[in-house]
């Protein structure tokens, strides 16, 4: 199981010097990859290009590029550019984002996401293969009909022969789609104990495409804090979990809440959401069961974290994106070091 350093959103928890220093140390510690995120602040592409200049070996991944923010052609251009700048280290993670961001920030309708994602990936692959892009789908039409546009070919060549494309997916249908068309899958709040369900969905998608999952990379983002004070470690996980389970999206359309329900926490998910949406965020965080935190996080003493790392490895995780729940560069690096040591033990 390879380790990735998940960096989150630049400008929220760390600045440029902290970011570069953290990734350079992750590279020294043997981390295979570093992943940048975006929402409606910093964009991931600029961060990856910045990191390319200060590193030499660590792979650079987007987790994720938001599909509504870029045309598929722009995504291919960006991925190819970063791949060239980094000497072939680009990993391309993409996802739909959510309806609030897609429609409220990017002005793109959040509709027909399965078909949109399928066609988006097909166009990205065409462009990265430097074929002339002529595509006539249900959600994407290139060139536009009855206009001056003509099929174009990417002017630059990626350094890699094939850039791996990861799909961020939560729901069953999107997870199956990742198995069908992706090189990897980026799940959130991944539970090794439920891997059989996830695996069956990925295999369902792979069967549709008549392909094998050999080499397919399951790459979850996992919040981490190693400490002998287990309550401290768990409490560091609570605000983020409460935000996603309780307040991400609407009451009717919260993918993370549905996921936790599928894990068997139906009543707890409803309570967390009710508390969060009524403004009781601290109560919502306190209502998260310790068993749920332990299931989806690396939280607590070294022995407990070592056991959870073994569980993720046993579940077939190929890349574990480690997200240190730390608020200084020194503590963040210390947590990355702790996890690296435990993973190697």
């Amino acid at each position: 199981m390879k380790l990735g350093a998940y960096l989150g959103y630049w400008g929220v928890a760390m600045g440029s010097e902290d970011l570069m220093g953290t990734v350079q140390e992750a590279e020294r510690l043997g981390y295979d990859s570093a992943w940048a995120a975006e929402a409606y602040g910093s964009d991931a592409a600029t961060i990856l290009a910045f990191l390319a200049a200060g590193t030499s070996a660590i792979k650079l991944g987007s987790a994720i590029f938001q599909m509504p923010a870029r045309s598929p052609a722009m995504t291919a251009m960006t991925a190819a550019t970063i791949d060239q700048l980094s000497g072939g280290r680009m990993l391309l993670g993409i996802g739909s984002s959510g309806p609030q961001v897609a429609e409220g920030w990017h002005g793109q309708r959040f509709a027909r996401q399965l078909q949109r994602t399928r066609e988006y990936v097909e166009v990205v692959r065409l462009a990265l293969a430097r074929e002339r892009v002529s595509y006539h789908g249900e959600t994407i039409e290139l060139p536009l009909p009855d206009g001056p546009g003509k099929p174009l070919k990417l002017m630059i060549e990626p350094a890699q022969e094939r850039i791996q494309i990861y799909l961020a997916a939560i729901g069953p249908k999107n997870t199956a789609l990742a198995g069908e068309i992706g090189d990897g899958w980026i799940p959130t709040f991944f539970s090794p104990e439920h891997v059989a369900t996830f695996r069956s969905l990925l295999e369902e998608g792979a069967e549709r495409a008549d392909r094998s999952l050999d080499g397919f990379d399951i790459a979850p983002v996992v919040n981490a804090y190693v400490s002998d004070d287990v309550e401290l470690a768990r409490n560091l996980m609570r605000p983020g979990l409460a935000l996603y389970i309780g307040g991400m999206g609407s009451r009717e359309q919260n993918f993370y809440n549905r996921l936790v329900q599928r894990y068997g926490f139906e009543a707890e998910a409803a309570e967390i959401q009710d508390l969060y949406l009524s403004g009781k965020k601290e109560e919502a965080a306190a209502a998260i069961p310790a068993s749920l935190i332990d299931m989806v996080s690396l939280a607590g003493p070294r022995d407990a974290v070592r056991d959870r790392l073994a569980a993720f490895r046993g579940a077939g995780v190929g890349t574990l994106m480690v997200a240190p729940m730390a608020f200084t560069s020194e503590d963040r690096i210390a947590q990355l070091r702790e996890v690296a040591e435990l993973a190697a033990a």
Side-chain angles (χ1 to χ4, degrees), residues 66-332:
Q66 299 173 92
M67 287 168 46
R70 300 172 182 83
S71 70
M74 188 69 229
T75 291
M77 291 165 60
T78 303
T81 303
I82 296 172
D83 201 48
Q84 279 280 11
L85 290 173
S86 66
R89 292 185 278 144
M90 179 68 191
L91 299 171
L92 177 55
I94 64 172
S96 298
S97 188
Q100 284 73 22
V101 173
E103 298 194 7
W105 187 246
H106 298 302
Q108 300 294 315
R109 291 295 180 194
F110 193 82
R112 306 194 65 189
Q113 289 305 307
L114 285 171
Q115 186 64 22
R116 170 72 174 169
T117 301
R118 182 188 302 280
E119 296 182 2
Y120 194 101
V121 170
E122 288 176 355
V123 173
V124 170
R125 290 202 193 280
L126 281 173
L128 288 175
R130 301 191 70 235
E131 298 183 22
R132 292 197 179 275
V133 178
S134 178
Y135 190 89
H136 308 286
E138 297 177 21
T139 68
I140 299 174
E141 181 86 12
L142 290 170
L144 290 175
D146 305 319
K150 63 179 182 179
L152 298 173
K153 182 174 73 172
L154 186 65
M155 294 172 63
I156 63 171
E157 188 171 356
Q160 299 177 75
E161 183 176 343
R162 177 185 171 91
I163 295 177
Q164 288 185 303
I165 297 179
Y166 290 70
L167 293 188
I170 300 172
K173 291 182 180 179
N174 283 314
T175 300
L177 185 64
E180 181 180 354
I181 68 173
D183 299 304
W185 171 47
I186 302 175
T188 301
F189 303 149
F190 177 84
S191 164
E193 286 73 23
H194 294 81
V195 70
T197 300
F198 297 136
R199 176 70 64 177
S200 67
L201 292 168
L202 294 170
E203 289 174 348
E204 174 190 324
E207 287 173 7
R208 284 201 299 260
D210 193 25
R211 60 178 287 200
S212 168
L213 289 177
D214 290 346
F216 184 88
D217 193 12
I218 298 175
V221 178
V222 181
N223 292 337
Y225 198 83
V226 183
S227 172
D228 288 334
D229 188 339
V230 66
E231 289 308 310
L232 168 66
R234 286 173 177 160
N235 287 340
L236 286 170
M237 309 298 161
R238 291 183 183 279
L241 282 166
L243 168 63
Y244 279 84
I245 298 169
M248 193 63 71
S250 64
R251 184 180 295 277
E252 296 75 24
Q253 198 169 25
N254 183 322
F255 309 121
Y256 307 95
N257 191 282
R258 293 176 191 170
L259 176 66
V260 169
Q261 291 183 46
R262 292 198 295 273
Y263 287 169
F265 296 93
E266 295 91 346
E268 294 87 345
E271 180 186 10
I272 293 164
Q273 187 175 63
D274 286 343
L275 289 167
Y276 200 95
L277 293 180
S278 64
K280 300 177 180 178
K281 296 180 180 180
E282 291 185 4
E283 291 91 333
I288 300 170
S291 57
L292 174 58
I293 296 172
D294 293 344
M295 181 182 291
V296 300
S297 310
L298 299 173
R302 289 173 61 90
D303 286 347
V305 171
R306 185 184 293 109
D307 289 345
R308 290 311 289 166
L309 286 167
F312 281 102
R313 186 182 295 109
V317 170
T319 299
L320 190 76
M321 296 192 205
V322 180
M325 298 303 291
F327 305 101
T328 67
S329 58
E330 293 80 7
D331 199 12
R332 194 173 295 111

Side-chain angles (χ1 to χ4, degrees), residues 22-98:
T22 297
V23 175
Q24 288 173 337
E25 182 63 15
E27 184 174 61
R28 192 192 69 77
L29 289 168
Y31 276 72
D32 179 73
S33 52
W35 301 77
E38 63 184 21
Y40 41 94
S42 59
D43 73 285
T46 304
I47 298 304
L48 296 179
F50 170 71
L51 292 172
T55 58
S56 60
I58 196 167
K59 297 185 182 75
L60 302 171
S62 55
I64 52 161
F65 284 169
Q66 299 173 92
M67 287 168 46
R70 300 172 182 83
S71 70
M74 188 69 229
T75 291
M77 291 165 60
T78 303
T81 303
I82 296 172
D83 201 48
Q84 279 280 11
L85 290 173
S86 66
R89 292 185 278 144
M90 179 68 191
L91 299 171
L92 177 55
I94 64 172
S96 298
S97 188

